Amino acid sequence: MTSHTTSSAGAAYGFYCKPDDKSFAHVVSRVTEALKTEGFGVLTDIDVQATMKTKLGVDVRPYRILGACNPPLAHRALSAQPDIGLLLPCNVIVREDDDGSFTVGFMDPVAVMQMTDDPEVARVADEVRSRLERVRSALTAAPGGAAKT
């Protein structure tokens, strides 16, 4: 297991982990369940691999973009800033890397929501980030619940 705050490209808008799963479908299922535990539902599920094959005839590694939403937190943000919907939902990616391992990436809501100076939006972003960090921790925990080293 490896977790870090930026990708190898140094993306400041996300944080990542590498769960030790052997199946892409299993990683997607675990991500969905861990999101649910933190009050998120998956509103959109974009299968990038299938889209690239269908639209461009290009074969790419498995890659999914999950649009996650926590309705109470989204409501708070939208109440504070009605146009904040332009920055919702929180995207979570699941991708297969060149070496066959998997990476899960989480949009960093604190980084994205800095586009507004509304203090309530900032509070919501902090709470969303805390919940997404707990999802990341759940994905990198050993079966007994302890973190893998």
Side-chain angles (χ1 to χ4, degrees):
M1 168 291 300
T2 304
S3 68
H4 43 28
T5 55
T6 59
S7 71
S8 57
Y13 47 82
F15 51 97
Y16 304 82
C17 68
K18 294 189 70 64
D20 289 336
D21 289 85
K22 303 297 181 209
S23 157
F24 184 79
H26 190 250
V27 175
V28 172
S29 176
R30 287 186 61 215
V31 168
T32 302
E33 286 303 311
L35 286 167
K36 192 179 298 182
T37 298
E38 288 296 329
F40 292 89
V42 174
L43 301 179
T44 60
D45 182 349
I46 301 168
D47 186 335
V48 175
Q49 180 185 42
T51 301
M52 294 297 159
K53 183 65 173 175
T54 301
K55 301 291 184 182
L56 301 176
V58 176
D59 289 314
V60 297
R61 293 189 172 283
Y63 193 115
R64 301 268 285 276
I65 304 170
L66 307 175
C69 179
N70 179 300
L73 296 176
H75 181 261
R76 279 180 50 201
L78 289 164
S79 294
Q81 280 284 328
D83 291 335
I84 207 72
L86 292 167
L87 302 177
L88 301 178
C90 294
N91 284 327
V92 178
I93 62 166
V94 181
R95 62 179 163 84
E96 181 180 306
D97 297 320
D98 290 340
D99 64 0
S101 66
F102 305 106
T103 295
V104 178
F106 302 86
M107 177 194 83
D108 183 349
V110 172
V112 173
M113 296 301 174
Q114 287 178 352
M115 293 180 179
T116 178
D117 58 2
D118 188 291
E120 177 62 7
V121 170
R123 285 188 287 275
V124 171
D126 285 337
E127 185 169 343
V128 171
R129 182 179 170 111
S130 293
R131 288 172 184 252
L132 292 176
E133 286 175 334
R134 287 193 298 267
V135 170
R136 176 180 63 181
S137 294
L139 295 171
T140 56
K148 294 180 188 176
T149 58

